């Protein structure tokens, strides 16, 4: 599944019958058969096509809190002539600075929703991430993904290698969770805060364990301006069906940013 999708639509054709399918991180759901040989079946199928053509992006399955952006490449000139491939010689033998094409920067702009359990206040921060480092793509799963990035807008500060200068790690996924955050004992944010609370007083351990910068359950507009937790239940809010496996969309920004194991001897 694409990193900026919450769910997928599918279409299955079996002879005269057409089924519209909805794939969530937990399960798949299908409509009753729409027989295209009948006026009722054709009308129902056309209603779906019109709906997909005119609906908002989030109803197509895209995540409105995650946007893929690009910085258009531009020419830059070396301020000081340099030896080697960065210079060219004129007919007189003098060196001239060479224009370089900056690598195209493609990155995600992601809203990270932070929940403070003590004050019970929700806040939001903008995170700028490189393309995924790790993908756990399965049809039904946690859909865990890891991105490197930072809170600094790459339009104001980025390298010439086409990547956001990373200072932290963003982990996103759809783990099985209790819908009540107060009794969600497997919550990773709660565990990271506990680690910091126990080890934070030991200066010798600084930088040796993951620290939660911000994070929590992703939030999404329910459609009437009310922000709710992004979950399989919110995806199926308008569908008359029972949620069998409760999964909640979570995002965590963690520091420090380590190095891949394959870079170590």
């Amino acid at each position: 599944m694409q990193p900026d999708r919450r769910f997928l639509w599918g279409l299955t054709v079996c002879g005269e019958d057409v089924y519209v399918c909805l794939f969530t991180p937990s399960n798949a759901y299908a409509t009753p058969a729409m027989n295209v040989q009948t006026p009722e079946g054709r009308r129902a199928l056309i209603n779906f096509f019109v709906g997909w053509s005119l609906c908002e992006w989030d109803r197509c399955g895209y995540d409105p809190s995650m946007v893929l952006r690009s910085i258009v490449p531009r020419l830059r000139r070396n301020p000081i002539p340099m030896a080697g491939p960065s210079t060219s010689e004129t007919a007189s033998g003098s060196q001239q600075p060479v224009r370089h094409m900056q690598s195209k920067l493609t990155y995600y702009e992601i809203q990270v929703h932070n929940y403070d359990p003590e004050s019970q206040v929700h806040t939001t921060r903008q995170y700028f991430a490189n393309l995924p480092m790790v993908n756990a793509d399965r049809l039904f799963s946690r859909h865990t993904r890891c991105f490197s990035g930072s809170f600094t807008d790459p339009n104001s500060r980025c390298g010439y290698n086409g990547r956001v200068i990373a200072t932290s790690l963003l982990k996103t996924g759809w783990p099985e969770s209790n819908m009540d955050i107060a009794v969600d004992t497997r919550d990773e944010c709660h565990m990271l805060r506990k680690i910091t609370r126990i080890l934070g007083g030991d200066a010798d351990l600084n930088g040796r364990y993951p620290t939660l910068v911000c994070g929590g359950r992703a939030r999404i507009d329910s459609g009437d301006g009310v922000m709710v937790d992004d979950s399989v239940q919110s995806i199926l809010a308008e569908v008359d069906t029972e949620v069998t496996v409760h999964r909640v969309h979570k995002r965590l920004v963690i520091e420090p940013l380590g190095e891949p194991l394959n870079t170590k001897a």
Side-chain angles (χ1 to χ4, degrees):
M1 188 186 294
Q2 295 154 302
D4 55 349
R5 275 191 178 272
R6 300 165 57 235
F7 58 88
L8 292 171
W9 290 101
L11 198 66
T12 302
V13 181
C14 301
E16 300 174 350
D17 295 329
V18 179
Y19 302 83
V20 171
C21 304
L22 176 64
F23 297 90
T24 74
S26 295
N27 214 332
Y29 305 86
T31 63
M34 293 174 284
N35 190 322
V36 294
Q37 295 289 349
T38 66
E40 295 77 12
R42 291 193 293 270
R43 184 181 301 110
L45 182 59
I46 291 173
N47 283 339
F48 272 105
F49 288 149
V50 172
W52 286 329
S53 301
L54 302 178
C55 71
E56 301 86 348
W57 279 105
D58 59 289
R59 291 180 179 268
C60 287
Y62 288 99
D63 187 344
S65 64
M66 184 174 183
V67 181
L68 183 64
R69 301 195 184 282
S70 294
I71 295 179
V72 179
R74 60 183 182 274
L75 290 173
R76 63 185 178 91
R77 179 185 290 274
N78 290 337
I80 302 176
M82 299 173 61
S86 295
T87 60
S88 61
E89 292 190 359
T90 63
S92 61
S94 61
Q95 291 184 331
Q96 297 293 328
V98 176
R99 289 181 178 272
H100 291 271
M101 180 68 75
Q102 179 176 323
S103 300
K104 180 179 180 180
L105 174 61
T106 301
Y107 64 97
Y108 282 103
E109 184 176 340
I110 305 172
Q111 294 179 15
V112 180
H113 300 273
N114 185 65
Y115 175 72
D116 184 348
E118 295 184 1
S119 62
Q120 297 185 353
V121 172
H122 292 275
T123 55
T124 303
R125 297 182 67 180
Q126 293 295 115
Y127 191 83
F128 304 93
N130 294 300
L131 300 183
M133 302 164 53
V134 176
N135 275 307
D137 283 335
R138 298 291 185 275
L139 189 57
F140 309 117
S141 71
R142 295 170 56 98
H143 291 165
T144 300
R145 296 182 177 89
C146 293
F147 306 78
S148 64
S150 74
F151 292 104
T152 302
D153 188 340
N155 278 289
S156 60
R157 178 176 178 266
C158 68
Y160 288 107
N161 60 351
R163 291 178 60 82
V164 174
I165 297 178
T167 59
S168 56
L169 179 78
L170 171 66
K171 179 181 178 182
T172 179
W174 291 77
E176 292 187 37
S177 305
N178 192 300
M179 293 305 296
D180 185 353
I181 192 172
V183 293
D184 189 4
T185 57
R186 295 179 293 180
D187 182 55
E188 194 170 354
C189 291
H190 171 75
M191 296 178 183
L192 288 171
R193 290 189 181 100
K194 183 177 180 179
I195 291 173
T196 301
R197 186 169 61 252
I198 295 174
L199 303 180
D202 192 336
D204 294 335
L205 296 178
N206 287 344
R208 298 178 180 272
Y209 59 89
T211 301
L212 179 67
V213 179
C214 68
R217 300 185 174 199
R219 308 274 286 175
I220 193 167
D221 191 333
S222 62
D224 53 5
V226 178
M227 301 299 290
V228 298
D229 290 344
D230 189 12
S231 64
V232 172
Q233 191 169 10
S234 66
I235 292 174
L236 300 174
E238 299 180 22
V239 180
D240 185 17
T241 187
E242 181 181 356
V243 178
T244 55
V245 180
H246 292 279
R247 292 186 182 274
V248 177
H249 189 191
K250 298 182 180 181
R251 291 187 176 126
L252 304 82
V253 177
I254 304 170
E255 291 181 346
L257 180 64
E259 296 183 24
L261 293 177
N262 57 13
T263 65
K264 301 297 183 182

